[in-house]
Amino acid sequence: MEGKECIAVKMVISMCNKDKVYKVVVEKSKNFKLEDFVLSKSGAATTNEIARILNLARSNVSAILNELVREEKIIKIVSKPVYYVEKEIFIQAFGKRIKYEINFSELINVVSEIKEVGVEAFGFDNIIGYNGSLKEQIEQAKAAVVYPPNGLHTLIIGPPGSGKTYLAESMYKFGRRKGLKGSFEVLNCADYYHNPQLLLSHLFGHAKGAYTGAFVERIGLVEKANNGILFLDEVHRLPPEGQEMLFYLIDKGMYKRLGDTEERKVNVMIIAATTEKIDSILLRTFIRRIPVIIQLPSFDERPVEEKMEIIVYLLREESKRLGVDIIISSHLLSLLSLFKYEGNIGELKSLIQLICSKAFLANFQINRKFIKLDSALLPSKYYKKEIINTETFDEFFIITPFGKRSIDRYDLYEFIAGKYHELKSKGYEEKTIRNKIIDYVSNFLDDV
């Protein structure tokens, strides 16, 4: 009897803690406004904050919060850290009903549409890993942009598809928030590698008659980027003459149009990007002139949590595009996170689009509300891919345009097995059983 009483007391204490946690979330949510939250993370509660207020163990608070999410009393906002808002208050601010959770980047997009402003208003928060594996790099980027008077020239180094262009764009967006007035001009040096004259004309402009076909004078990207940022991608492809002119621009803040003798003054921050190693001849020269060097990691160098976040983000984009929920098996999820991609995130994105297109085509005539992704959809070459570690996942993910939720794979397998034996005992044929189970699974996934 004493044991039962002890259990009863623990249940009462647990219920009391649950009420306390919920009340803290409600109290914090009273000031929740979508724009304020996106800009300053105000009006929502975190696990650590609640644990500190109530003097409870963080693990206990985390378990209670997840239970409240499943009971649809609060909404989880997936970011770093995770935030929680009372459900009805959130829905009133958001304008749409959601069931469990939403990704922070979705809120950024909504606020951008409402206010008719770009994502630049929100800095680097939408970069996966901004508070994790890329924290140091983003601190470097912020410091480079705000350094007076015109920022510090920056070189971004990283393998193809590691996000060099995206980081440069984010630096410009951050700069706009901090008062940067000029434009963001882009030149991919590789596009003009076999036509140096055209590259220099495009970059620095040219005088009338500078070369055959130059019938009028032309303003270059350097001049267009005055008081802004000039982004030079694949800068190692810049021809020697262009390198000299660029170094002169960096050293003196002066340049000449092609075929012109007049020197022109310009205030421009240069961000250059390359896939080359820093010990190449060109980059050694750059390093002497460029004070900020940012090295970006490849996908396989990212922690598993960030890999998962990247995969989920890419799947959510496909969910939006296709207009269906996406269910991804734990095995495929593991493989996608374990493969070593030569093209990094770019290759991963293409692979996910290919897998989704195969699954969508298979279900095109059936017109279900979801498509299911498993490892059978992988192209054959990926079965030979190098697996870089042994991390695995035990959950199915359901990806919607608004976020994700997970189901333990054994729960789903047990559900399917139970339905199979139930239908088999009733005398249904195998084909009928398969079709019915598909419908049951669809309803099961809608309810979890």
Side-chain angles (χ1 to χ4, degrees):
M1 187 65 183
E2 188 176 328
K4 291 182 179 179
E5 289 177 355
C6 184
I7 292 171
V9 170
K10 287 181 178 178
M11 290 178 65
V12 170
I13 292 172
S14 177
M15 289 302 294
C16 290
N17 287 341
K18 186 175 178 181
D19 290 340
K20 289 177 182 178
V21 169
Y22 180 63
K23 284 179 181 178
V24 172
V25 175
V26 171
E27 190 62 32
K28 291 285 293 185
S29 301
K30 288 179 180 177
N31 299 318
F32 181 82
K33 293 180 180 177
L34 207 57
E35 184 181 2
D36 290 345
F37 177 77
V38 167
L39 289 172
S40 62
K41 300 288 181 69
S42 61
T46 67
T47 306
N48 285 340
E49 185 179 18
I50 297 170
R52 188 183 68 251
I53 291 172
L54 298 178
N55 195 26
L56 296 173
R58 187 190 184 283
S59 58
N60 292 342
V61 173
S62 178
I64 291 171
L65 286 168
N66 283 316
E67 187 176 344
L68 290 169
V69 170
R70 289 193 296 272
E71 292 174 358
E72 298 185 43
K73 291 183 177 179
I74 63 176
I75 295 294
K76 178 191 287 189
I77 300 174
V78 180
S79 70
K80 295 292 178 75
V82 174
Y83 288 84
Y84 298 90
V85 183
E86 194 279 328
K87 184 176 181 179
E88 294 307 318
I89 293 175
F90 177 85
I91 289 173
Q92 186 176 358
F94 186 59
K96 300 177 185 177
R97 295 200 71 84
I98 66 170
K99 203 168 184 180
Y100 296 104
E101 64 181 49
I102 190 168
N103 197 283
F104 180 70
S105 61
E106 292 296 324
L107 300 186
I108 289 178
N109 293 335
V110 170
V111 172
S112 299
E113 292 171 5
I114 292 172
K115 297 296 179 181
E116 296 183 347
V117 297
V119 178
E120 60 264 25
F122 312 112
F124 293 89
D125 287 2
N126 58 320
I127 295 181
I128 294 172
Y130 81 96
N131 204 27
S133 68
L134 297 181
K135 185 174 182 178
E136 182 179 343
Q137 288 88 334
I138 287 176
E139 288 303 313
Q140 286 181 281
K142 287 180 178 179
V145 171
V146 301
Y147 198 88
N150 303 311
L152 294 174
H153 302 311
T154 302
L155 178 64
I156 304 173
I157 302 172
S162 57
K164 298 184 294 297
T165 300
Y166 193 71
L167 178 60
E169 291 171 348
S170 297
M171 290 172 71
Y172 174 70
K173 292 167 184 176
F174 179 76
R176 292 287 291 177
R177 183 181 173 187
K178 297 298 182 181
L180 189 70
K181 302 298 182 185
S183 62
F184 181 74
E185 301 296 334
V186 180
L187 175 67
N188 189 323
C189 300
D191 292 343
Y192 299 88
Y193 182 63
H194 297 293
N195 195 334
Q197 192 175 59
L198 186 59
L199 186 151
L200 295 177
S201 171
H202 197 48
L203 184 57
F204 296 102
H206 64 249
K208 182 179 179 180
Y211 56 86
T212 303
F215 300 114
V216 294
E217 67 176 12
R218 176 179 178 177
I219 295 174
L221 293 179
V222 169
E223 193 167 342
K224 289 180 181 179
N226 190 29
N227 297 315
I229 291 176
L230 173 63
F231 177 55
L232 301 177
D233 199 8
E234 301 292 338
V235 72
H236 57 278
R237 296 293 191 95
L238 201 62
E241 185 182 352
Q243 294 172 32
E244 291 180 16
M245 295 172 73
L246 182 62
F247 295 152
Y248 188 75
L249 173 66
I250 292 172
D251 293 339
K252 306 291 185 181
M254 308 288 290
Y255 74 99
K256 294 178 183 178
R257 291 180 182 173
L258 196 63
D260 197 359
T261 58
E262 180 186 352
E263 284 199 336
R264 301 169 187 269
K265 178 74 176 175
V266 70
N267 297 315
V268 62
M269 176 182 173
I270 294 171
I271 302 177
T274 181
T275 56
E276 295 289 292
K277 295 180 179 179
I278 60 174
D279 58 357
S280 70
I281 294 174
L282 171 61
L283 294 191
R284 283 203 302 269
T285 312
F286 258 113
I287 288 170
R288 291 200 298 268
R289 289 177 164 87
I290 295 186
V292 181
I293 311 293
I294 299 176
Q295 177 76 55
L296 292 183
S298 61
F299 179 79
D300 63 89
E301 292 172 322
R302 296 280 202 116
V304 67
E305 297 84 4
E306 289 178 16
K307 291 181 181 180
M308 176 64 65
E309 202 172 341
I310 291 167
I311 292 168
V312 168
Y313 170 79
L314 295 173
L315 286 168
R316 198 168 62 250
E317 291 301 298
E318 296 311 306
S319 175
K320 290 179 191 175
R321 186 175 289 112
L322 298 173
V324 296
D325 291 352
I326 295 174
I327 304 162
I328 181 168
S329 72
S330 55
H331 183 227
L332 178 57
L333 198 59
S334 295
L335 289 176
L336 290 177
S337 69
L338 300 177
F339 287 144
K340 187 171 184 178
Y341 301 98
E342 293 178 9
N344 285 290
I345 297 173
E347 182 181 344
L348 172 62
K349 179 180 179 180
S350 297
L351 175 59
I352 285 176
Q353 288 179 332
L354 176 61
I355 292 170
C356 287
S357 67
K358 287 183 177 181
F360 185 75
L361 180 62
N363 289 285
F364 188 72
Q365 300 295 335
I366 304 172
N367 198 28
R368 294 194 191 109
K369 294 182 292 183
F370 69 92
I371 58 173
K372 185 175 183 301
L373 310 183
D374 56 43
S375 54
L377 296 170
L378 283 170
S380 57
K381 69 175 184 177
Y382 282 92
Y383 288 108
K384 302 174 184 176
K385 277 270 187 180
E386 177 187 355
I387 301 297
I388 59 174
N389 57 37
T390 56
E391 295 282 356
T392 56
F393 301 98
D394 289 328
E395 297 175 317
F396 286 84
F397 271 13
I398 305 174
I399 312 295
T400 75
F402 300 105
K404 70 171 177 22
R405 61 186 188 273
S406 60
I407 309 167
D408 189 285
R409 59 178 172 178
Y410 300 109
D411 288 346
L412 187 57
Y413 292 151
E414 184 179 344
F415 174 83
I416 292 172
K419 284 296 176 185
Y420 177 86
H421 291 300
E422 177 188 332
L423 295 171
K424 189 76 173 176
S425 66
K426 292 180 179 179
Y428 287 101
E429 295 180 356
E430 288 291 328
K431 184 177 180 181
T432 305
I433 290 175
R434 284 198 301 272
N435 291 334
K436 282 185 172 292
I437 284 179
I438 288 172
D439 292 334
Y440 285 132
V441 169
S442 180
N443 292 330
F444 172 85
L445 294 170
D446 282 341
D447 292 336
V448 293

